[in-house]
C-alpha cells in the first residue's frame, strides 16, 4: 500500500460513526458477504468453466449467501447467471442486483429489460446506475421501474475511489435506497460517503473489498497475526472482509471469485466476531506496514 492511501485509511478510522438503527439498512436484511461477478463470470459456454461457476454459486448459497451483483458492463456474466441459477437451489435467498450502464438515455430501458431476460427473472431486488453514468436521467427510469414493481430498491454505484463528491450530492438530494462503492484496507477514502449514507439510512454495498486482489500480494507469504483469532479470522481474506463489513454503515461486501475454495474462505467472514474500533486500527496499521 502506498503511504498516501495508508494515511488516509488510518486517519479515517478515528471518525467512524456510531452504530445506530437505520430503517432502510435494517429492512434490507442482506447477508454481509455477497458475490460479485466482474471478470470472474464473463466466460463463454465451455462446460468445464460453467461447471466451476456453478460450484461457486452452489457453495455461496449453501453458506447462506444472498446478494449476487452483476452489470451489462461485465460481458457475458448476466447470461452465465441466467444459465446457472435455475440449476441451483436458492429459493428465497437470492438478492438479484444489476445496473444500467449506457450514456444514451433512450437505450436504458431496453438494456434493463435485456438484463431481466438474461437473468430469467420477473423483477430485480436492486438496480443501480452504474458508475453514476447519466445518473440524473436513469434515477428517473429506475423510479418508474420501482413504481411498476420491477425492482425493490434503487440507487447508484461508483468504484475505484472515483466521484465521491457526486455520490454525496446524490445521497443528499435524491431518494435512493442503495449505494455501491469501493472500500478496502488499501483505500478508505470513501469514509465520508459511507457516513453520508448512514445519515440517510441508505444501504451500502462494497465493491473491490480486496482492492482488485492487490491486498493479497504483500501477505501471500506471511502468517496471520495473532490478533486474527480475536475476530475468528482463519485466513487473510476473512481479515480483509471483516474489516470492511465491521464499518457501521456497511450492509454487504461483494467479493468476486471464480474459485470455489476461495468462495468458501470469503463466506467464512460472515461468521464469528468482527473487529471493534481498536482492532480496525490495528488491522490498518498491520497492512500498512507490509
Amino acid at each position: 500500500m502506498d503511504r498516501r492511501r495508508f494515511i488516509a485509511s488510518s486517519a479515517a478510522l478515528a471518525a467512524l460513526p456510531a452504530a445506530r438503527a437505520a430503517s432502510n439498512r435494517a429492512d434490507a436484511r442482506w447477508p454481509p458477504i455477497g458475490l460479485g461477478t466482474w471478470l470472474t463470470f464473463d466466460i463463454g459456454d465451455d462446460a468445464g468453466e460453467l461447471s466451476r461457476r456453478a460450484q461457486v454459486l452452489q457453495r455461496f448459497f449453501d453458506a447462506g449467501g444472498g446478494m449476487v451483483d452483476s452489470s451489462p458492463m461485465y460481458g457475458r456474466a448476466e447470461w452465465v447467471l441466467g444459465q446457472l441459477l435455475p440449476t441451483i437451489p436458492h429459493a428465497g435467498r437470492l438478492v438479484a442486483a444489476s445496473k444500467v450502464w449506457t450514456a444514451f438515455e433512450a437505450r436504458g430501458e431496453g438494456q434493463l429489460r435485456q438484463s431481466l431476460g438474461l437473468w430469467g427473472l420477473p423483477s430485480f431486488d436492486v438496480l443501480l446506475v452504474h458508475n453514476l453514468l447519466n445518473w440524473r436521467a436513469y434515477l428517473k427510469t429506475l423510479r418508474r421501474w420501482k413504481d411498476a414493481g420491477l425492482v425493490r430498491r434503487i440507487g447508484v454505484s461508483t468504484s475505484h475511489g472515483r466521484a465521491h463528491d457526486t455520490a454525496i450530492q446524490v445521497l443528499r438530494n435524491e431518494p435512493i435506497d442503495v449505494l455501491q462503492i469501493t472500500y478496502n484496507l488499501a483505500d478508505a477514502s470513501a469514509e465520508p460517503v459511507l457516513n453520508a449514507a448512514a445519515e440517510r439510512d441508505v444501504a451500502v454495498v462494497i465493491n473491490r473489498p480486496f482492492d482488485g486482489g492487490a491486498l493479497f500480494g504483500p501477505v501471500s507469504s506471511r502468517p496471520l497475526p495473532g490478533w486474527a483469532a480475536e475476530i475468528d479470522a482463519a485466513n487473510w481474506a476473512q481479515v480483509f472482509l471483516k474489516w470492511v463489513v465491521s464499518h457501521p454503515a456497511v450492509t454487504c461486501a461483494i467479493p468476486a471469485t471464480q474459485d470455489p475454495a476461495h468462495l468458501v474462505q470469503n463466506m467464512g467472514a460472515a461468521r464469528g466476531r468482527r473487529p471493534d474500533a481498536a482492532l480496525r486500527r490495528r488491522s490498518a496499521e498491520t497492512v500498512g506496514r507490509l
Side-chain angles (χ1 to χ4, degrees):
M1 183 193 309
D2 65 65
R3 181 175 178 79
R4 177 185 62 79
R5 296 172 83 192
F6 171 61
I7 291 173
S9 186
S10 299
L13 293 174
L16 286 179
R20 64 185 181 86
S23 59
N24 192 44
R25 288 185 287 138
D27 289 348
R29 303 186 191 282
W30 301 325
I33 307 299
L35 178 66
T37 58
W38 180 54
L39 298 179
T40 54
F41 274 62
D42 182 12
I43 59 173
D45 56 3
D46 177 84
E49 291 297 326
L50 288 170
S51 176
R52 197 169 189 225
R53 300 320 183 275
Q55 291 178 53
V56 167
L57 287 168
Q58 183 66 72
R59 295 187 186 191
F60 174 70
F61 289 117
D62 286 349
M67 175 173 283
V68 179
D69 176 88
S70 198
S71 167
M73 179 186 174
Y74 303 164
R76 290 168 63 87
E78 291 187 301
W79 177 85
V80 170
L81 290 170
Q83 299 301 301
L84 297 180
L85 284 171
T87 72
I88 296 166
H90 61 270
R93 283 172 283 170
L94 174 65
V95 179
S98 192
K99 307 175 183 79
V100 57
W101 182 67
T102 173
F104 304 103
E105 182 178 356
R107 298 181 182 176
E109 189 95 18
Q111 187 181 77
L112 289 165
R113 293 195 179 279
Q114 182 179 43
S115 290
L116 267 183
L118 288 170
W119 284 69
L121 298 173
S123 63
F124 280 113
D125 295 290
V126 178
L127 283 174
L128 307 176
V129 181
H130 197 135
N131 282 333
L132 292 158
L133 184 63
N134 202 3
W135 62 268
R136 289 180 177 85
Y138 287 130
L139 280 180
K140 294 176 183 177
T141 302
L142 296 186
R143 288 189 194 106
R144 290 198 301 271
W145 272 52
K146 188 175 182 180
D147 290 343
L150 295 173
V151 61
R152 292 179 59 237
R153 295 176 184 273
I154 64 171
V156 298
S157 77
T158 183
S159 60
H160 297 77
R162 299 171 183 150
H164 288 174
D165 289 346
T166 303
I168 290 176
Q169 176 188 349
V170 173
L171 285 164
R172 289 176 175 170
N173 296 291
E174 301 288 340
I176 65 171
D177 308 306
V178 182
L179 168 74
Q180 185 182 126
I181 197 165
T182 296
Y183 181 64
N184 56 62
L185 265 168
D187 184 4
S189 62
E191 289 279 0
V193 193
L194 301 187
N195 296 344
E199 290 169 2
R200 284 152 181 80
D201 293 346
V202 171
V204 175
V205 177
I206 300 301
N207 58 46
R208 295 176 59 83
F210 299 140
D211 196 24
L215 282 176
F216 290 105
V219 304
S220 60
S221 60
R222 295 176 180 268
L224 283 176
W227 51 259
E230 298 178 37
I231 55 172
D232 304 308
N235 49 64
W236 281 105
Q238 292 173 14
V239 169
F240 299 150
L241 287 170
K242 282 173 176 278
W243 185 87
V244 167
V245 299
S246 64
H247 189 291
V250 171
T251 307
C252 176
I254 49 169
T257 184
Q258 60 183 345
D259 187 324
H262 289 170
L263 184 283
V264 173
Q265 291 182 356
N266 294 347
M267 297 305 291
R271 301 187 293 273
R273 295 168 289 180
R274 298 181 185 178
D276 58 15
L279 264 177
R280 284 175 59 83
R281 287 192 295 271
R282 195 169 183 183
S283 300
E285 291 164 358
T286 298
V287 174
R289 288 194 297 266
L290 300 178

